[in-house]
Amino acid sequence: MTATDRSTELIQTAAQAAADKLAHDIIAYDVSDVLSITDAFLLASAPNDRQVKSIVDEIEERLQKELGAKPVRREGDRDARWILLDYVDIVVHVQHSEERVFYALERLWKDCPELDLPADAKATRGKAQEHARLQAAEEDGAAGFEDLR
């Protein structure tokens, strides 16, 4: 069994919405062969809680507006470290970058086929590492500045 056309359409729209809100490392898996409860997972991350919420809100708004889809469940809003949107056909996981590394959902689903995503979403691969390097460089620079004082 493979993901349905409806699931693929939802994934494409959600991935583009996430990319438009500058999500990092967007990837989607066809989990229909191993799970009976959904066809596909979309994973995305962001470096801070506010951006996690922004990405989730954009995905939810776009899927409602463009495809008439509403999530049957939304979890994780309070802390905004890992928000899950369950659309039955697909499940969207938007995680804070630290949670993404810790839980490593890609390792769990690596044997499942990846779904093709819009070019903007594919271009987000590696953004979390790039962001972490820049942040570390800024912190090193700030520490060096403090040493000079």
Side-chain angles (χ1 to χ4, degrees), residues 35-93:
L35 292 176
S36 59
I37 58 170
T38 192
D39 283 346
F41 281 165
L42 179 73
L43 310 176
S45 55
N48 60 63
D49 302 351
R50 183 179 294 176
Q51 191 174 358
V52 168
K53 282 185 176 183
S54 177
I55 292 164
V56 168
D57 290 344
E58 183 68 14
I59 290 170
E60 199 169 9
E61 184 178 319
R62 278 269 188 101
L63 289 178
Q64 167 66 38
K65 185 176 176 183
E66 295 177 18
L67 302 174
K70 289 183 181 179
V72 295
R73 191 173 70 205
R74 179 176 171 153
E75 293 184 7
D77 256 339
R78 195 179 75 202
D79 296 330
R81 301 290 292 179
W82 180 350
I83 299 178
L84 179 142
L85 296 173
D86 183 352
Y87 286 89
V88 179
D89 294 325
I90 70 166
V91 176
V92 176
H93 300 266

Side-chain angles (χ1 to χ4, degrees), residues 29 105-114:
Y29 293 102
L105 295 179
E106 289 91 339
R107 280 196 324 235
L108 292 174
W109 306 109
K110 68 180 177 195
D111 294 334
C112 296
E114 275 188 48

